[in-house]
Amino acid sequence: MTRHLLSIDDVSAEEIQQLFATAAEMHDVQKREVKKLPALRGRTVINLFFEDSTRTRSSFEIAGKWLSADVINLSAKGSSASKGESLRDTVLTVTAMGVDGLVMRHSASGAAHQVAGWLDIPVVNAGDGTHEHPTQALLDGYTLQRQLGGPGSLEGKRIAIVGDLTHSRVFRSNVKSLTKLGASVVAVAPPTLMPAGVTDWAKADGFATSYHLDEVLPEADAVMMLRVQRERMSGGFFPTSREYTVGYGLTRQRLGMLREGAPILHPGPMNRGLEISPEAADAASSRILDQVSAGVAIRMSVLYHLLAGEESA
Amino acid sequence: MSLLIKGASVLGAAPTDVYVEGGAIREIGSLSADASADEVVDAAGLVLLPGLVDLHTHLRQPGREDAETVASGAAAAAAGGYTAVLAMANTSPVTDTAEAAVSVWELGREAGLADVFPVGAVTKGLAGEELAELSLMNRSRAGVKVFSDDGRCVSDPRVMRRALEYVKAFGGVISQHSQDPSLAPYGSACCHEGELSGRLGLPSWPGVAEEVIVARDVMLARHTGSRVHVAHASTAGTVEVLRWAKAQAEKDGSWAVTAEVTPHHLLLTTDLLAGYDPTFKVNPPLRPAEDVEALRAALADGTIDAVATDHAPHARQDKEHAFVDAAFGMLGLEEALSVVSTVMVSSGLLDWSGVARVMSTTPARIAGLEGHGRPIAVGEPANLTLADPAATYVVDRDRSLSLSRNNPWHDRKLTGRVVSTFLRGKKTYGE
């Protein structure tokens, strides 16, 4: 594995499977009475969050603590630019306190890449703008693989990723990780929520696109619904919530179009009634809470691989 | 004070000698070997051009003297072969009054390294609503003839119409930053809209946001019988609109449209943004190769009239933010001639006479500068640039005379280099 985890580009299919295998071991820790491994004892990890995120921050915090790292959460809400300090100065200052690893969330695409260039410690991208969210993609892949039958089970499976693709870092990371694992991805959205240049991009990276959810669902082995990021929508990307739900929501009626047992995923937080109906969110085939639990295991695995060092490996 | 330039190739023609005295060219031809002058320059193998004129420079004074001052910018201009630069109005405070314009003009005179002509704002405070004191700026000692809200577009068609009409009284020109802010919002839109912006998740700036404004403005210029200048044209679509508009303007004879292209839009492409390096964040953004090709062809065939640098110095800390938060802009004065030489001359798209046209003669005509962009002829002001067409070098940003270091050419190999610059016969740069 490379020194940082900034993008799914940083890991090969084999390395993803290694991360999954370690995550599976870490997952078992969650069932223990004492949820603690000594792997990162004496190491300090900073969760530097320039953008709010309760679940991702908590997930990284728990992961670090269960590995016995000293975890410090720092919130730096608002861009450093707005405070007059450059991003470079902010991260150099924060990490100068003897930190061994940085987990960073930022509202700007590419921020983690830039920061990694300024630091000599491992950086984990915990979401950068509308660019990538690699640990989310890993936990999604891990969840799906476990559900569909273990290592290699994603090969040839058709996974639909549905919703606000333009603003989704989860989509950008997942399309990379799932295709690396051999899945056949189809990205579904109205034309206004398809990322710029997606036709060329899909051709180059080997995934499909569609505007028609009803045509895609019956063929899907799993469906991943994305949150409609209304806070990022300055213009009218679709006329009304009702119209969006009719066209692209995983409604109660559409549940019946899915193959039996096809897993339903959502990275959360959900807009119940908009992109996903309560019936779908709570369906027996919903894996949404499994994703949350897998998130800790995957983040433990990532922190372990990046930070444990030879003496602990 | 006299100057003898020996053996220079004027605009790439056969070598000759040029004798300068009292700030003007006094003699051209083969002078005797022992001809004496206060200063003799051996120009064998060098090309002599009329001093370069930049229609689009940001000097940051007043307001951001840590990034650039009029004096440091003028020094960088001289190092780039420029004898005249037009300083954009988006300083702090904005150059939207006669007093502000005269202040910039005087700072340029004090520096004495290049003639600095302030560009006046079109609207008060660049707000796009009320016209600035265009006529008073023109009547001032600074003699402002070019007006621009650069950094912002005069996006309200009613305001643009009035501005075009108003400057007709004194032969002014409106230099438009063509960016429809609804399609490419100021500040946030920072990457050419296409496959790369989709992959990187960067807010995108579609070419059409430029093209719709260019198309609208040429229609307004035709309607008002005025002159519009398209700043930093960046797309093939803009070239198409310009080609049509120029044909119409020539036919009508009552209005005019001119356009400039930057050195960076002639060479750099949007794929440089893949590493999120804010050095390459500029407005309009770097475009794909097909746009670059169209811009080169348009400059060669005259559809685009001039090369202008859009020299935009920024202090280090203003570029060390996340890409979307970092300042827009890159340096351009010192390497502009080298880039044009590398892109246009080496490929045969322009000869040195063509370079003089797009970097001196035509920009001076667009800006209404009488003492610049003149032919190299007896009696003309000795505003001159000597360049070595064969010199190849690797750019080192730390050798810059600018106060800033946001140099997109750093570590890049370029061919053709400015050797000396003369402003009214006085050497402002070179050995």
Side-chain angles (χ1 to χ4, degrees):
Chain A
M1 223 173 118
T2 54
R3 191 148 168 260
H4 309 285
L5 181 63
L6 306 173
S7 158
I8 292 295
D9 294 334
D10 294 335
V11 282
S12 65
E14 293 72 31
E15 287 167 332
I16 291 174
Q17 291 298 354
Q18 278 174 26
L19 286 167
F20 287 180
T22 309
E25 291 174 30
M26 302 295 183
H27 219 146
D28 291 338
V29 174
Q30 294 180 27
K31 294 174 195 149
R32 293 190 198 167
E33 196 175 331
V34 178
K35 301 178 179 65
K36 207 79 165 174
L37 293 173
L40 297 186
R41 195 165 52 205
R43 305 288 167 107
T44 302
V45 178
I46 285 201
N47 290 334
L48 180 58
F49 276 56
F50 291 88
E51 186 183 64
D52 286 338
S53 166
T54 307
R55 74 180 62 205
T56 302
R57 188 184 52 72
S58 310
S59 182
F60 270 108
E61 183 178 359
I62 293 169
K65 285 183 170 167
W66 285 358
L67 290 170
S68 302
D70 293 309
V71 180
I72 294 158
N73 291 315
L74 280 181
S75 170
K77 202 178 166 195
S79 72
S80 50
S82 65
K83 296 181 211 153
E85 183 176 56
S86 74
L87 177 63
R88 183 172 182 270
D89 285 341
T90 302
V91 295
L92 286 178
T93 303
V94 164
T95 56
M97 304 173 195
V99 172
D100 299 298
L102 177 70
V103 175
M104 193 179 114
R105 159 71 63 97
H106 201 288
S107 60
S109 301
H113 275 79
Q114 292 173 260
V115 164
W118 296 323
L119 299 180
D120 55 8
I121 56 169
V123 175
V124 179
N125 181 6
D128 62 324
T130 53
H131 178 225
E132 281 217 42
H133 196 350
T135 58
Q136 176 72 42
L138 291 172
L139 74 88
D140 290 341
Y142 173 80
T143 304
L144 278 173
Q145 183 169 289
R146 277 163 71 98
Q147 193 63 28
L148 295 173
S153 61
L154 277 162
E155 194 76 41
K157 293 290 192 306
R158 195 159 176 80
I159 314 294
I161 305 180
V162 185
D164 181 1
L165 306 178
T166 292
H167 300 101
S168 179
R169 51 193 171 210
V170 175
F171 163 65
R172 285 176 178 78
S173 285
N174 260 302
V175 78
K176 290 178 183 174
S177 63
L178 293 173
T179 50
K180 269 186 183 178
L181 295 172
S184 161
V185 174
V186 55
V188 186
T192 49
L193 290 174
M194 286 281 184
V198 74
T199 310
D200 293 335
W201 174 12
K203 208 178 291 173
D205 287 10
F207 64 95
T209 60
S210 172
Y211 303 141
H212 307 292
L213 182 58
D214 291 338
E215 290 175 10
V216 169
L217 275 187
E219 306 295 320
D221 295 298
V223 59
M224 183 182 296
M225 302 306 296
L226 299 175
R227 184 169 67 88
V228 174
Q229 301 193 41
R230 283 186 278 208
E231 74 278 11
R232 294 189 197 271
M233 293 191 186
S234 52
F237 287 80
F238 51 82
T240 61
S241 298
R242 189 169 69 103
E243 184 161 321
Y244 182 85
T245 304
V246 168
Y248 298 94
L250 190 56
T251 57
R252 186 163 52 86
Q253 291 79 0
R254 284 201 176 100
L255 269 182
M257 300 168 76
L258 277 173
R259 289 178 177 168
E260 195 180 339
I264 297 167
L265 279 75
H266 191 299
M270 291 180 280
N271 295 304
R272 282 179 184 249
L274 179 57
E275 74 265 0
I276 189 164
S277 64
E279 292 83 355
D282 300 331
S285 56
S286 168
R287 300 273 71 87
I288 295 169
L289 290 177
D290 293 338
Q291 289 174 272
V292 177
S293 151
V296 176
I298 280 289
R299 284 160 184 140
M300 287 175 80
S301 174
V302 166
L303 291 175
Y304 175 79
H305 279 277
L306 288 177
L307 291 169
E310 285 176 9
E311 73 273 24
S312 318
Chain B
M1 175 72 186
S2 58
L3 166 71
L4 176 60
I5 302 171
K6 287 188 69 66
S9 164
V10 176
L11 306 186
T16 189
D17 303 330
V18 177
Y19 182 73
V20 171
E21 192 167 37
I25 298 168
R26 300 297 173 198
E27 204 172 341
I28 298 177
S30 187
L31 304 180
S32 64
D34 59 351
S36 64
D38 297 326
E39 185 175 3
V40 178
V41 174
D42 177 6
L46 306 182
V47 172
L48 187 64
L49 303 168
L52 307 184
V53 175
D54 190 19
L55 285 167
H56 196 141
T57 307
H58 294 274
L59 295 181
R60 305 295 185 217
Q61 189 176 14
R64 283 307 301 266
E65 288 82 353
D66 58 327
E68 198 78 287
T69 62
V70 171
S72 67
Y82 287 92
T83 55
V85 297
L86 278 84
M88 278 294 166
N90 61 340
T91 47
S92 179
V94 171
T95 307
D96 58 1
T97 63
E99 293 74 17
V102 168
S103 163
V104 171
W105 179 75
E106 282 181 342
L107 286 167
R109 276 172 62 95
E110 284 165 22
L113 295 167
D115 287 344
V116 175
F117 298 97
V119 171
V122 179
T123 64
K124 290 175 188 166
L126 310 178
E129 291 167 3
E130 297 175 78
L131 293 184
E133 293 177 342
L134 308 180
S135 175
L136 289 181
M137 286 190 270
N138 176 258
R139 288 161 190 255
S140 74
R141 279 186 295 151
V144 179
K145 290 177 182 152
V146 180
F147 300 90
S148 180
D149 278 0
D150 185 61
R152 297 203 155 235
C153 180
V154 182
S155 59
D156 183 333
R158 184 180 51 87
V159 175
M160 187 62 178
R161 174 197 170 161
R162 294 297 177 223
L164 286 165
E165 284 175 337
Y166 198 76
V167 298
K168 284 171 66 179
F170 46 87
V173 59
I174 305 295
S175 173
Q176 174 73 293
H177 172 115
S178 306
Q179 176 182 1
D180 185 319
S182 299
L183 292 170
Y186 299 135
S188 60
C190 59
C191 178
H192 170 75
E193 182 170 305
E195 186 185 348
L196 188 70
S197 71
R199 285 176 184 271
L200 297 180
L202 286 174
S204 60
W205 204 130
V208 72
E210 174 174 299
E211 293 147 13
V212 294
I213 295 294
V214 174
R216 182 202 74 177
D217 285 352
V218 295
M219 300 312 284
L220 289 172
R222 181 160 82 163
H223 178 73
T224 56
S226 190
R227 291 171 60 209
V228 67
H229 176 73
V230 177
H232 42 52
S234 72
T235 76
T238 290
V239 169
E240 281 181 53
V241 176
L242 286 170
R243 202 161 272 141
W244 175 85
K246 288 201 151 200
Q248 298 305 308
E250 196 175 331
K251 214 185 304 172
D252 297 346
S254 56
W255 61 286
V257 54
T258 53
E260 67 186 39
V261 62
T262 70
H264 48 269
H265 285 111
L266 286 173
L267 180 51
L268 305 179
T269 49
T270 193
D271 52 295
L272 286 166
L273 270 53
Y276 293 102
D277 181 351
T279 306
F280 299 107
K281 180 179 172 181
V282 68
N283 206 23
L286 300 178
R287 304 289 188 187
E290 51 267 32
D291 288 310
V292 170
E293 287 300 320
L295 294 167
R296 290 178 182 180
L299 183 64
D301 71 18
T303 304
I304 290 178
D305 304 83
V307 171
T309 67
D310 197 2
H311 176 81
H314 287 294
R316 203 188 73 166
Q317 68 270 17
D318 294 328
K319 282 284 190 183
E320 289 183 339
H321 292 293
F323 190 88
V324 296
D325 298 325
F328 287 94
M330 46 182 66
L331 298 184
L333 283 169
E334 288 168 278
E335 291 83 17
L337 185 71
S338 300
V339 174
V340 171
S341 166
T342 303
V343 172
M344 303 296 290
V345 180
S346 301
S347 62
L349 283 168
L350 280 181
D351 58 15
W352 286 101
S353 167
V355 173
R357 169 170 58 81
V358 300
M359 296 190 77
S360 177
T361 315
T362 306
R365 179 177 54 75
I366 292 168
L369 308 183
E370 288 166 5
H372 291 273
R374 302 291 305 164
I376 297 178
V378 172
E380 296 289 353
N383 297 322
L384 300 166
T385 299
L386 263 178
D388 182 349
T392 296
Y393 70 109
V394 176
V395 177
D396 176 358
R397 65 180 161 217
D398 292 324
R399 294 173 65 90
S400 176
L401 297 179
S402 168
L403 296 183
S404 294
R405 292 291 176 267
N406 52 313
N407 190 324
W409 312 111
H410 180 64
D411 271 347
R412 192 177 280 262
K413 193 189 222 181
L414 299 174
T415 299
R417 187 172 201 176
V418 173
V419 173
S420 306
T421 309
F422 303 91
L423 178 63
R424 289 179 284 279
K426 183 186 152 204
K427 190 178 278 182
T428 52
Y429 174 76
E431 294 295 310

